Amino acid sequence: MDDRQRYDRATAALEPPFAVLDLAAMRANAADLVRRAAGKPIRVVSKSVRSRPLLERILAMDGFHGLMAYTLPEALWLAAHGFTDILVAYPTADRRALRALAGDAQAAGQITVTIDSPAHLDFIEAAVAAVQPRAEIRICMDIDAGYIALSGRFRAGALRSPIREPHEAADLAADLAGRPGFRLTGLLAYEAQIAGLGDAPPGNAARTRAIRLMQSRSAKELIVRRGHIVNAVRRLADLEFVNGGGTGSIERTAREKAVTEVAAGSGFFHPRLFDFYRRFTGHPAALFALPVVRRPTLDSVTVLGGGYLASGAPGPARLPQPYLPAGLRYVPDEGAGEVQTPLLGQAAQDLRIGDRVWFRHAKAGELCEHFDTLHLIEGDTVVESVPTYRGEGRTFL
């Protein structure tokens, strides 16, 4: 029985659209992440999962410890439900959430917030000034891990922190040390130009060579610079963790002595954008099904909905992938539609009204922003249906 038959049989009683997670595929992906981490703990990136029951399942597996949240309200909610060691990986400007954190010693002991400038510290101090008694706030410093060349004329990597050099990190650490009520506990440096950029893109040999050259040079530069930054900050603070990497760079980042843990999230679901890496091959685990509602021609069908576009620079790579049956493609001038999506290809000839077309999202966590429930499949059976954040009535962006 192939995957399409399994999924169709498992979900025969469900009415599409709906989303599923293949548990065997997710477990295989998780095991490979642990293998690639080579003994270093993996912090689970919640934005790529967005389901409390799934986060619990993942953290129960060997090799995973702690969460990387994306907003402070999310972290507070997770802590209230028993999750521990939560790093909020993005700076917050939520005054209400900061006051809640400062006023809750138990939550403050489990949550670390990220900053990259004295302005963040000023903002937090002002936000929590009236909180009494005030819990100590754990702080992580975000470091720019981007690659810069040609005297600054070329840059690869996300525009995140302004802190790039060891002396800049040391200055911020010294500033923080002089402010009561804060404790610097960690460093974060995410190399998006390696972890989030596939080095085997299809159809463009010159671009592939350029990406691989940039990533090689970036990795060499970063291992030295990150090590110097960590040494400079450790002279001023007793760091509990140094976090780096992501699904696409785990084995590279884990080799750095300065890094104590790596992060991963997309690797559990293995969305479409993670098909284009040489160093690992994942198993598509998270899918959504749309029903065939029209047959305009012999070799075309129309499915309900489907316009679940991924964030980032717009383009075809941000569209969901028609996955099963294989061989379907978008109509170039329509793409993925708000209400309906036409698809072309020989595979359409065998589809009938009511049949399912299975899609993969381009990214991981954004799938759960479109569905209240993930149906968990084991073999050819739905063994459990679990809520997403959306299904629990929680939105954090």
Short mmCIF file of all heavy atoms in Angstrom, two decimals, residues 27-42 62-64 247 250-252 254-255 262 278-283:
data_model
loop_
_atom_site.label_atom_id
_atom_site.label_comp_id
_atom_site.label_asym_id
_atom_site.label_seq_id
_atom_site.Cartn_x
_atom_site.Cartn_y
_atom_site.Cartn_z
N ARG A 27 8.79 10.51 13.53
CA ARG A 27 9.78 9.85 14.38
C ARG A 27 11.09 9.63 13.65
O ARG A 27 12.19 9.80 14.22
CB ARG A 27 9.23 8.52 14.89
CG ARG A 27 8.14 8.66 15.95
CD ARG A 27 7.88 7.33 16.64
NE ARG A 27 7.41 6.30 15.71
CZ ARG A 27 6.13 6.05 15.47
NH1 ARG A 27 5.19 6.76 16.06
NH2 ARG A 27 5.78 5.10 14.63
N ALA A 28 11.01 9.25 12.37
CA ALA A 28 12.24 9.06 11.59
C ALA A 28 12.99 10.37 11.43
O ALA A 28 14.23 10.41 11.54
CB ALA A 28 11.89 8.48 10.22
N ASN A 29 12.27 11.46 11.20
CA ASN A 29 12.91 12.77 11.09
C ASN A 29 13.57 13.16 12.41
O ASN A 29 14.69 13.69 12.43
CB ASN A 29 11.89 13.82 10.69
CG ASN A 29 11.37 13.64 9.28
OD1 ASN A 29 12.04 13.05 8.43
ND2 ASN A 29 10.17 14.13 9.01
N ALA A 30 12.87 12.92 13.52
CA ALA A 30 13.42 13.27 14.83
C ALA A 30 14.69 12.47 15.11
O ALA A 30 15.68 13.02 15.62
CB ALA A 30 12.38 13.02 15.92
N ALA A 31 14.67 11.19 14.79
CA ALA A 31 15.86 10.35 15.02
C ALA A 31 17.04 10.85 14.20
O ALA A 31 18.19 10.83 14.66
CB ALA A 31 15.53 8.90 14.68
N ASP A 32 16.78 11.31 12.99
CA ASP A 32 17.87 11.81 12.15
C ASP A 32 18.40 13.13 12.68
O ASP A 32 19.62 13.38 12.61
CB ASP A 32 17.38 11.96 10.71
CG ASP A 32 18.54 12.13 9.74
OD1 ASP A 32 19.45 11.27 9.76
OD2 ASP A 32 18.56 13.11 8.97
N LEU A 33 17.54 13.97 13.21
CA LEU A 33 18.02 15.21 13.84
C LEU A 33 18.96 14.90 15.00
O LEU A 33 20.02 15.53 15.14
CB LEU A 33 16.83 16.03 14.34
CG LEU A 33 15.92 16.67 13.29
CD1 LEU A 33 14.67 17.25 13.95
CD2 LEU A 33 16.65 17.74 12.50
N VAL A 34 18.59 13.92 15.82
CA VAL A 34 19.43 13.54 16.96
C VAL A 34 20.76 12.98 16.46
O VAL A 34 21.83 13.30 17.02
CB VAL A 34 18.69 12.52 17.85
CG1 VAL A 34 19.62 11.96 18.91
CG2 VAL A 34 17.47 13.16 18.49
N ARG A 35 20.72 12.17 15.43
CA ARG A 35 21.97 11.64 14.87
C ARG A 35 22.87 12.76 14.41
O ARG A 35 24.09 12.77 14.69
CB ARG A 35 21.64 10.71 13.69
CG ARG A 35 22.88 10.16 12.97
CD ARG A 35 22.51 9.49 11.66
NE ARG A 35 21.93 10.40 10.69
CZ ARG A 35 22.63 11.24 9.94
NH1 ARG A 35 23.95 11.30 10.05
NH2 ARG A 35 22.02 12.04 9.07
N ARG A 36 22.31 13.72 13.71
CA ARG A 36 23.10 14.82 13.18
C ARG A 36 23.64 15.72 14.28
O ARG A 36 24.69 16.35 14.12
CB ARG A 36 22.26 15.64 12.20
CG ARG A 36 21.89 14.87 10.93
CD ARG A 36 20.83 15.61 10.11
NE ARG A 36 21.29 16.92 9.72
CZ ARG A 36 20.49 17.96 9.48
NH1 ARG A 36 19.18 17.83 9.66
NH2 ARG A 36 21.00 19.12 9.12
N ALA A 37 22.94 15.81 15.41
CA ALA A 37 23.39 16.66 16.52
C ALA A 37 24.56 16.06 17.28
O ALA A 37 25.21 16.75 18.07
CB ALA A 37 22.23 16.93 17.47
N ALA A 38 24.82 14.77 17.09
CA ALA A 38 26.01 14.11 17.63
C ALA A 38 26.18 14.32 19.13
O ALA A 38 27.28 14.60 19.61
CB ALA A 38 27.26 14.58 16.89
N GLY A 39 25.09 14.19 19.87
CA GLY A 39 25.18 14.24 21.32
C GLY A 39 24.83 15.56 21.95
O GLY A 39 24.63 15.62 23.17
N LYS A 40 24.76 16.61 21.17
CA LYS A 40 24.36 17.90 21.74
C LYS A 40 22.83 17.98 21.81
O LYS A 40 22.13 17.52 20.89
CB LYS A 40 24.93 19.06 20.93
CG LYS A 40 26.42 19.21 21.14
CD LYS A 40 26.98 20.53 20.68
CE LYS A 40 28.47 20.62 21.06
NZ LYS A 40 29.11 21.83 20.52
N PRO A 41 22.29 18.54 22.89
CA PRO A 41 20.83 18.61 23.02
C PRO A 41 20.23 19.52 21.96
O PRO A 41 20.85 20.50 21.53
CB PRO A 41 20.63 19.17 24.42
CG PRO A 41 21.90 19.86 24.76
CD PRO A 41 22.99 19.11 24.06
N ILE A 42 19.01 19.17 21.56
CA ILE A 42 18.29 19.94 20.54
C ILE A 42 17.14 20.68 21.22
O ILE A 42 16.28 20.07 21.85
CB ILE A 42 17.74 19.03 19.44
CG1 ILE A 42 18.89 18.30 18.73
CG2 ILE A 42 16.92 19.83 18.43
CD1 ILE A 42 18.42 17.26 17.72
N ASP A 62 14.28 10.99 23.30
CA ASP A 62 15.67 11.22 23.68
C ASP A 62 16.32 12.23 22.74
O ASP A 62 16.10 12.20 21.53
CB ASP A 62 16.46 9.91 23.65
CG ASP A 62 16.04 8.94 24.73
OD1 ASP A 62 15.46 9.39 25.73
OD2 ASP A 62 16.30 7.73 24.57
N GLY A 63 17.12 13.12 23.32
CA GLY A 63 17.90 14.06 22.53
C GLY A 63 17.34 15.46 22.47
O GLY A 63 18.00 16.37 21.96
N PHE A 64 16.11 15.65 22.97
CA PHE A 64 15.46 16.96 22.89
C PHE A 64 15.26 17.52 24.29
O PHE A 64 14.84 16.81 25.20
CB PHE A 64 14.12 16.84 22.16
CG PHE A 64 14.27 16.31 20.77
CD1 PHE A 64 14.02 14.96 20.50
CD2 PHE A 64 14.68 17.12 19.74
CE1 PHE A 64 14.17 14.45 19.22
CE2 PHE A 64 14.84 16.62 18.45
CZ PHE A 64 14.59 15.29 18.20
N THR A 247 17.52 23.36 11.53
CA THR A 247 17.40 22.07 10.86
C THR A 247 18.43 21.89 9.75
O THR A 247 19.01 20.82 9.59
CB THR A 247 15.98 21.92 10.28
OG1 THR A 247 15.05 21.77 11.36
CG2 THR A 247 15.88 20.70 9.37
N ILE A 250 22.47 21.56 11.42
CA ILE A 250 22.73 20.95 12.72
C ILE A 250 24.11 20.33 12.81
O ILE A 250 24.86 20.56 13.77
CB ILE A 250 21.64 19.90 13.04
CG1 ILE A 250 20.37 20.59 13.52
CG2 ILE A 250 22.11 18.92 14.12
CD1 ILE A 250 19.25 19.65 13.87
N GLU A 251 24.48 19.50 11.84
CA GLU A 251 25.75 18.79 11.97
C GLU A 251 26.94 19.74 11.93
O GLU A 251 27.95 19.51 12.60
CB GLU A 251 25.91 17.69 10.91
CG GLU A 251 25.89 18.13 9.47
CD GLU A 251 24.50 18.52 9.01
OE1 GLU A 251 23.62 17.66 8.95
OE2 GLU A 251 24.32 19.71 8.71
N ARG A 252 26.83 20.83 11.19
CA ARG A 252 27.91 21.82 11.14
C ARG A 252 28.01 22.56 12.47
O ARG A 252 29.08 22.71 13.05
CB ARG A 252 27.65 22.81 10.01
CG ARG A 252 28.27 22.44 8.69
CD ARG A 252 27.94 23.49 7.64
NE ARG A 252 28.87 23.42 6.52
CZ ARG A 252 28.62 23.95 5.33
NH1 ARG A 252 27.47 24.58 5.12
NH2 ARG A 252 29.50 23.86 4.36
N ALA A 254 26.78 21.81 15.45
CA ALA A 254 27.06 20.97 16.61
C ALA A 254 28.55 20.70 16.80
O ALA A 254 28.99 20.40 17.91
CB ALA A 254 26.30 19.65 16.49
N ARG A 255 29.33 20.82 15.74
CA ARG A 255 30.78 20.58 15.85
C ARG A 255 31.52 21.73 16.53
O ARG A 255 32.67 21.57 16.95
CB ARG A 255 31.38 20.34 14.46
CG ARG A 255 30.99 19.02 13.83
CD ARG A 255 31.93 18.66 12.68
NE ARG A 255 31.85 19.60 11.57
CZ ARG A 255 31.10 19.42 10.49
NH1 ARG A 255 30.34 18.34 10.39
NH2 ARG A 255 31.10 20.30 9.51
N VAL A 262 21.80 22.98 19.93
CA VAL A 262 21.33 23.41 18.62
C VAL A 262 19.81 23.47 18.65
O VAL A 262 19.16 22.96 19.56
CB VAL A 262 21.81 22.46 17.51
CG1 VAL A 262 23.32 22.58 17.33
CG2 VAL A 262 21.42 21.02 17.80
N ARG A 278 21.80 18.89 0.67
CA ARG A 278 22.61 17.69 0.40
C ARG A 278 22.86 16.84 1.62
O ARG A 278 22.99 15.62 1.52
CB ARG A 278 23.99 18.12 -0.15
CG ARG A 278 24.00 18.66 -1.55
CD ARG A 278 25.42 18.96 -1.97
NE ARG A 278 26.07 19.95 -1.11
CZ ARG A 278 27.38 20.19 -1.08
NH1 ARG A 278 28.20 19.47 -1.82
NH2 ARG A 278 27.88 21.13 -0.30
N ARG A 279 22.92 17.46 2.80
CA ARG A 279 23.44 16.76 3.97
C ARG A 279 22.42 15.86 4.66
O ARG A 279 22.78 15.09 5.54
CB ARG A 279 24.01 17.78 4.97
CG ARG A 279 25.24 18.50 4.45
CD ARG A 279 25.79 19.47 5.48
NE ARG A 279 24.87 20.55 5.79
CZ ARG A 279 24.73 21.65 5.04
NH1 ARG A 279 25.46 21.77 3.95
NH2 ARG A 279 23.88 22.59 5.38
N PHE A 280 21.16 15.96 4.30
CA PHE A 280 20.16 15.10 4.92
C PHE A 280 18.97 14.96 3.99
O PHE A 280 18.74 15.79 3.10
CB PHE A 280 19.70 15.68 6.27
CG PHE A 280 19.00 17.01 6.16
CD1 PHE A 280 17.62 17.08 6.12
CD2 PHE A 280 19.73 18.19 6.11
CE1 PHE A 280 16.97 18.29 6.02
CE2 PHE A 280 19.09 19.42 6.01
CZ PHE A 280 17.70 19.46 5.97
N THR A 281 18.21 13.90 4.20
CA THR A 281 16.99 13.65 3.44
C THR A 281 15.89 13.32 4.43
O THR A 281 15.97 12.32 5.15
CB THR A 281 17.16 12.48 2.46
OG1 THR A 281 18.22 12.78 1.55
CG2 THR A 281 15.87 12.24 1.67
N GLY A 282 14.89 14.17 4.50
CA GLY A 282 13.81 13.96 5.45
C GLY A 282 12.63 13.23 4.83
O GLY A 282 12.61 12.90 3.63
N HIS A 283 11.64 12.97 5.67
CA HIS A 283 10.42 12.28 5.26
C HIS A 283 9.26 13.25 5.39
O HIS A 283 8.99 13.72 6.50
CB HIS A 283 10.18 11.05 6.14
CG HIS A 283 11.31 10.08 6.16
ND1 HIS A 283 11.40 9.03 5.28
CD2 HIS A 283 12.43 10.02 6.93
CE1 HIS A 283 12.51 8.35 5.52
NE2 HIS A 283 13.15 8.93 6.51
#
